[in-house]
Amino acid sequence: MNKVSQGPKFVVERAEGAWLWDDNGDRFLDGTASLWYSNVGHGRREIADAVHRQLTTLDAFTVYGDFANRPALELSERLASHAPVIDPRVILTCGGGESIETAAKLARRYWATQDRSAKRHLISRTGGYHGLHGIGTGIIGMDRFRTGFGPMVEDASVVPHDSVRALEEEILRVGPENVAAFFAEPVIGAGGVYAVDAAYFTGVSEVCRRHGVLFIVDSVICAFARMGDWFGIERYGVRPDMIVFAKGVTSGYQPLGGVITSGEVAEPFWNRSGNPFHHGTTYAGHPACSAAASANLDILEREDLFTVAMELETQLDGAVRTLADHPLVAEVRSGTGVMAAVQLTEEALGERGITTAAVFAEARARGVILRAIPHSLLISPPLITTWEQIDHLVSTLRSALDAVAERHQ
């Protein structure tokens, strides 16, 4: 806040496709799909029209209790039909952070209905990002997001992102009778784009099942064709107990998220009296947001952005790996989904005093928007980005790296 208050603001005026324009009329390539969500690109008139039609028919009304609206019902049925979850049920929310809160509370409440209320502990992974609401902050795998807030969730711990053995050891250390759920992203996104092989998810799924721990997949970043399928986790052939989604479900045109839970987890609430789930938010199941989501999913299917994403994944991987020989670059991570990370060397970040923020600024000055985290530059363009735009993005990043390297010789 202090830094922003000292200088001019970057005001985005309009957007179309993979391009943004600021209030000076300058054009920029959106190399991050905003915050990982503009999957179908900016300026899709059919989504805006769907929202307008819905607002002129039913603007909004609560979905508490037995209240419902047609767009929310139709969207829920559609999402359930694609979910790799056994006997899926859908809870709609307003975004990813809210969905994490919902999933965590539901996990604890589920175990309470089984007379196992001691099962409250939540386990997540290093580098994992699960939003910045209360529980999300408490289980996030990056220390900088927890600093200064005190303990948000006392019954929580973090394990290495790529070790099945570490997960099982932590469950045994805490005691399976005390562990409610394990959270994992198909690919760690905001934490630095870290992928694992299918054997990892097969292993954690088996560990969770063996010890009676709910397996919750956070697909907020990875879903809706970002990894070439509906929820990202399909790539690994496992069936989690819950899937958390948001972002690409509307491509950001309206705020919407949700949790898809298995019928087994839903059973005590649906089929037995006396087990209310006292949880909900004012705008969950909003008809205009649901209409936006359905129009967005229409585009994903009509333009087969699932196949397009797999082709773009290969293109991005090939292009971004050409940066591996740059003197400032320690590692390039890509090849699983339309996302990549370019990590700077320890020497650059340490002795030479180079920051990823400096590289970000040079790229933006050259007309490309990336995302900087402490050690890496992150790339996650809209799925309608052309191959020529990918090449432009990567060549611009190389120029930005060159400019920063020259300044810090």
Side-chain angles (χ1 to χ4, degrees), residues 153-205:
V153 181
E154 293 186 355
D155 297 318
S157 56
V158 177
V159 296
H161 80 276
D162 56 355
S163 173
V164 177
R165 179 178 178 180
L167 171 62
E168 184 159 34
E169 288 176 348
E170 180 65 5
I171 291 172
L172 293 173
R173 183 192 71 80
V174 176
E177 70 279 7
N178 298 316
V179 180
F182 170 63
F183 290 79
E185 299 167 88
V187 172
I188 287 176
V193 186
Y194 292 96
V196 292
D197 59 26
Y200 172 82
F201 281 107
T202 300
V204 299
S205 180

Side-chain angles (χ1 to χ4, degrees), residues 86-101:
I86 297 172
D87 188 18
R89 315 296 174 86
V90 179
I91 303 172
L92 296 178
T93 72
C94 300
E98 186 179 297
S99 299
I100 288 291
E101 304 288 301

Side-chain angles (χ1 to χ4, degrees), residues 117 133 148 162 243 252 279 315:
S117 58
H133 286 50
D162 56 355
I243 296 176
H279 179 79
Q315 164 72 4

